[in-house]
Amino acid sequence: MSEYRSEPLKCWPRAKELRLKYYQDYQKARERGGIRWTGGAWSFDAIPAGLGRDVYNITGEPYAASIAFDRKLSTECLEAAEAKGWARDLCSYMRNYWGSMYLGKYAFGGEYPDPDFCFQDHICCSHAKWYQHVAEYKKIPYFCIDVSVGPYKDVDENRLMFVVNQMHEAIEWLEKTTGRKYQDELLIEAVENETRSTATWAEVCCLNMNKPAPLDEKTMYSLYVHGTLAKHSKDVADFYEELRDEVKYRIDNHIAAVPNEQCRLMSDTQPPWGFLKIFRYLEGYGAISVGSLYTFGLIGIWETKPDGSWGPRPTPMQKGEKITTRDQALRVLADWNLSKPEWQHFYDPNLKTEMMLQIVKQWQLDGVMLHLNRGCEGLSCGIMENRLGIAKAGVPVMTFEGNMGDEREFDEKRVVTRIDSFMETLGIKMLGKPAGIG
Amino acid sequence: MFTKFHEWYKNRHDYARAWREQNDGEVVGCFCSYVPEELIYAAGLLPVRVLGSHEPQDVTEPHIFGMFCPFCRDVLAQGLKGRYNYLKGIVLAQSCLHLRQAFTSWRNHVPADFAHYIYFPNKVQTKHAYSYYHGELVKFRKALEEWIGRAISDDSIKAAAELYNENRRLMREVYELRKAANPPLTGLEAMIMVASSYFVDKKDHNAELKRILPELKSRTLERETGGRLMIVGSENDDTEFVQMVESVGATVVVDDHCTGSRYFWNATEFSGDVMQDIANRYIDRPPCPTKDWEERSRFPHVLQLAREYNVDGVILIQQKFCDPHECDMVPLKELLNNNDLPTLFLEFDVTVPVGQFRIRVEAFLEMLGVEELF
């Protein structure tokens, strides 16, 4: 049994600082005469960036995940949403977010900071409806871009232009809504930053093919999140390059995420944020989740290489393409995002199964743990077909039921028992005392 | 009077099989009311809606996670059980995540020669939706042509669109009669009339509508109208439920369901480019909540229907786990209540607890002051 060296990431404090700054910048935007807006983690944040350098956003899903991590606050928020009459089975991020809004409580201290407008995109049934309600409740303007034009392999000019045309419409709307003149050079800069940050994140994920893995998924959750906050920002793009270089250093110096790695797994969908300790429990078995389609492809942008392998999609800059006009920037932005791995399964679960099996092969995994996530209909869409497809390919797969943002729907003991059974199936024995369970 | 519609509704599969034999054509299953049936019909095919059977089943658990709506699972169950084994093709017009899983799992596990997913826009409130959807319809037409091995002419598409328009006009004419103080038809009859139109050749349906309409106009039902109710919400062809509601002192006089008025409310308006005209019709139809944003354009429509049909109260029906409707229910209830329209919210599953719902409906009617109860 190998024992690897392990140590914390050197850039961890920078990751924490960047995240806190993001939430504080949003909170203090108005004091500085700036604009703040809200929308989803997949919204085209590069577009409002063209309004000026004092424009700050808060993305709903990571914000709600932060609430979910604080079980007490989350329960308050969920109950506030339920008290308004909303169904308990709705998106738990949405309910946490709405609850925070109703209670006027900001998860990072102080009052919930009202946004000036909502700017969203739509691929999941809840996306547009989420901010429809926020806009109504806060009486603020709202614009949403429909991106559900089919899987990237089938995208043609008509489909691409439907998204691009809405983006142009959005810019006109932003100018009218804010009274500001739109600056194309800021848009171009933001698009370049977004392609750089999301491709670099894919590079980071690729480094986790190494044995032992330099990163574990629990740690990756705290890193990929920056791409869900402000993928268009220079800070995030620069940070991902710093992270990539450090992960390379870890590989070169045989620094592992889990010192006793003997079993490599992947998960699927958002984790139950209030119960991340299940990943520590896995470590008792020397089992590491090295990532997932979720952590890799929620914001990471990938492509299939000529040899059939999966790798980071080259940015326009890497291809020597210079973006010079608004229309070109929007076309790049639309095309780039339409290739997002986590957007493909919305049309066909088989596309997701293929990607998952590719990850199993390239990252040399021993099994797959599917989180049947009651909190997210978008990422749970087709998940049972994924299970069938993975099992058919001969890859060991287990499921566990839970909810990313509603701890009332997570049975910790039951999940641990399922993990024990799965490990037994894989022939993996407990190596040490399991961490933090029960 | 509505016997034929009942017969078609009940024996939908027999009808489709017989149609296939008589017309030497194939039958195509449609997974949402947004499917542009006119194009399928113009190709010499019979489009039929795939609806559930309202029976408990145990075949979909391996395919669709239990947090998705019972309707989508009921629909898939029909395929897995071979109930629609005469279908040669299936078509989905993009709608909610729930129903699309019934389609994608069906495509994976139930043999069909033709399976087409139309990327219908979710944002119908942008001007760009019209040209975009036109482009998607052109692709769908081409895919159909490749499958059947012959071209579909503009003339045949226009003829099909006209036939469908006639069906819409006739059903609206029937609905118009429901505005009367004593409607000449029950809500159950109206529900079955519309639901059956999903299953049969519109020529047959139109002929039957034309046959009953003159008689219907002078029909007097030997029952009290009682409370005038509207039903609003998710897919609903639960005849047992409506029958129960109308047995306790009420009449359902109008609805906003995709299996009801939303299916036929607006017509194709012809301007010269029939493909664009059809695209426009589907973009402009009363929307499903999943497509109703940024504005809630459905709400004024629902309110207008409630007023035009002089309803006393509204039953809000929602398939369990139906996120798009769940996202509308709270503000819709508020809107209706603020306009002096009391509401009763009921959550539906594949089967409904008729006994419990009866008590709740009776209490609702009592609240409305419907004295016929006693």
Side-chain angles (χ1 to χ4, degrees), chain A residues 303-314 358 362:
Chain A
E303 69 170 15
T304 301
K305 304 292 180 187
D307 66 355
S309 67
W310 219 41
R313 184 174 170 185
Q358 188 62 35
Q362 273 183 249

Side-chain angles (χ1 to χ4, degrees), chain B residues 62-318:
Chain B
H63 304 284
I64 300 179
F65 180 28
M67 67 177 274
F68 291 96
C69 84
F71 172 65
C72 76
R73 283 179 277 137
D74 197 6
V75 165
L76 177 61
Q78 305 311 304
L80 296 175
K81 287 180 166 183
R83 299 257 174 88
Y84 280 86
N85 58 7
Y86 50 86
L87 295 181
K88 289 289 179 194
I90 53 169
V91 178
L92 170 76
Q94 181 162 263
S95 49
C96 63
L97 297 185
H98 302 249
L99 196 50
R100 83 178 62 167
Q101 288 181 89
F103 174 83
T104 52
S105 285
W106 189 303
R107 189 170 58 183
N108 271 0
H109 303 287
V110 184
D113 295 345
F114 178 79
H116 192 93
Y117 184 144
I118 302 170
Y119 300 114
F120 193 97
N122 278 321
K123 183 169 185 175
V124 292
Q125 293 180 21
T126 168
K127 62 187 177 191
H128 303 296
Y130 297 97
S131 58
Y132 164 70
Y133 190 46
H134 173 267
E136 295 309 299
L137 277 190
V138 169
K139 285 180 200 129
F140 178 49
R141 175 179 177 175
K142 195 173 167 218
L144 280 170
E145 287 173 336
E146 281 171 8
W147 178 41
I148 62 174
R150 61 178 184 277
I152 307 167
S153 70
D154 279 353
D155 287 346
S156 63
I157 293 171
K158 177 138 195 242
E162 282 169 347
L163 182 72
Y164 271 70
N165 266 0
E166 185 178 29
N167 189 250
R168 291 165 186 142
R169 181 182 58 73
L170 291 167
M171 288 205 284
R172 277 200 72 159
E173 216 175 306
V174 172
Y175 262 49
E176 196 64 23
L177 300 174
R178 302 170 78 189
K179 289 180 179 171
N182 292 305
L185 72 159
T186 64
L188 177 66
E189 288 170 330
M191 175 180 269
I192 286 173
M193 172 190 76
V194 183
S196 66
S197 76
Y198 270 119
F199 304 131
V200 304
D201 190 323
K202 294 290 192 276
K203 273 185 201 158
D204 292 343
H205 206 259
N206 289 351
E208 186 62 12
L209 285 167
K210 284 182 204 161
R211 188 190 70 77
I212 65 156
L213 260 165
E215 201 182 328
L216 189 62
K217 285 173 185 167
S218 56
R219 186 190 193 201
T220 305
L221 290 178
E222 290 179 6
R223 64 187 288 279
E224 293 295 322
T225 300
R228 298 175 65 85
L229 300 180
M230 180 177 188
I231 46 175
V232 176
S234 313
E235 182 280 336
N236 174 26
D237 68 325
D238 200 313
T239 54
E240 191 183 359
F241 171 76
V242 174
Q243 192 167 25
M244 176 276 288
V245 170
E246 296 192 319
S247 73
V248 293
T251 299
V252 174
V253 293
V254 72
D255 68 84
D256 179 61
H257 286 301
C258 65
T259 37
S261 67
R262 282 212 298 275
Y263 176 52
F264 65 84
W265 208 248
N266 71 329
T268 302
E269 290 172 21
F270 298 103
S271 65
D273 178 350
V274 71
M275 293 294 283
Q276 186 64 64
D277 296 337
I278 291 172
N280 296 352
R281 187 261 162 193
Y282 282 90
I283 298 289
D284 290 337
R285 59 164 270 190
C288 167
T290 201
K291 299 184 186 302
D292 199 27
W293 46 270
E294 293 97 345
E295 297 298 319
R296 293 190 201 268
S297 67
R298 190 171 73 101
F299 284 19
H301 172 68
V302 169
L303 196 56
Q304 191 182 338
L305 285 180
R307 285 178 173 148
E308 283 180 5
Y309 284 78
N310 193 25
V311 308
D312 300 315
V314 181
I315 300 183
L316 299 170
I317 283 166
Q318 184 200 288

Side-chain angles (χ1 to χ4, degrees), chain A residues 52-158:
Chain A
R53 294 200 187 275
D54 57 350
V55 176
Y56 301 94
N57 66 317
I58 185 168
T59 47
E61 297 92 337
Y63 176 65
S66 299
I67 296 172
F69 188 71
D70 178 344
R71 290 201 221 164
K72 185 174 173 295
L73 176 62
S74 178
T75 303
E76 279 179 47
C77 290
L78 295 169
E79 287 178 353
E82 283 154 21
K84 294 274 184 191
W86 301 107
R88 254 184 85 157
D89 55 273
L90 279 170
C91 166
S92 57
Y93 279 166
M94 186 166 77
R95 288 182 292 125
N96 274 302
Y97 182 103
W98 286 352
S100 164
M101 178 177 76
Y102 297 144
L103 296 171
K105 280 188 182 176
Y106 193 44
F108 296 90
E111 288 183 10
Y112 170 86
D114 285 346
D116 296 306
F117 62 83
C118 299
F119 187 70
Q120 169 66 316
D121 68 343
H122 181 91
I123 194 167
C124 160
C125 293
S126 304
H127 280 158
K129 305 300 272 190
W130 178 334
Y131 296 94
Q132 182 178 49
H133 178 58
V134 174
E136 286 169 345
Y137 190 78
K138 288 293 176 187
K139 298 185 173 51
I140 52 174
Y142 174 34
F143 194 94
C144 184
I145 295 175
D146 180 7
V147 298
S148 23
V149 294
Y152 188 61
K153 68 181 180 62
D154 298 330
V155 166
D156 57 15
E157 189 66 8
N158 186 53

